[in-house]
Amino acid sequence: MKIFIFGDSHTRSFMNRKNIYPFYLGSGKEFNINNDKYNNIIDNINKFFFKYKEEISKDSLFFLYFGEPN
């Protein structure tokens, strides 16, 4: 199983872990509830799915990881 995590800078904490693939989409200042850039998040995730569609299996998991981790 592969786990894909999309998010802000805190996503980088998942680097170098087996079967976990973090994707940094931008800073927390850019992607937050006070900003209207949600379409950018969707566009970036769609680009990911198009580019890596061969590597995604049916048992893959996907997470959005934005905001303070604690």
Side-chain angles (χ1 to χ4, degrees):
M1 170 178 22
K2 293 181 181 179
I3 300 171
F4 298 94
I5 301 174
F6 303 95
D8 57 21
S9 60
H10 297 293
T11 305
R12 295 176 182 158
S13 64
F14 296 101
M15 292 181 68
N16 302 319
R17 297 184 187 206
K18 185 178 179 183
N19 296 335
I20 299 178
Y21 304 91
F23 289 89
Y24 173 69
L25 297 178
S27 72
K29 290 179 183 178
E30 183 178 358
F31 297 109
N32 63 65
I33 61 173
N34 295 321
N35 200 331
D36 61 351
K37 296 200 174 207
Y38 297 111
N39 287 335
N40 287 345
I41 295 171
I42 294 168
D43 289 344
N44 286 331
I45 292 172
N46 282 334
K47 288 176 188 175
F48 165 83
F49 280 110
F50 183 76
K51 184 175 181 177
Y52 295 102
K53 60 186 170 191
E54 301 297 323
E55 296 181 37
I56 299 170
S57 63
K58 290 183 180 183
D59 65 344
S60 295
L61 297 175
F62 300 89
F63 294 93
L64 298 178
Y65 191 72
F66 294 96
E68 289 297 322
N70 51 357

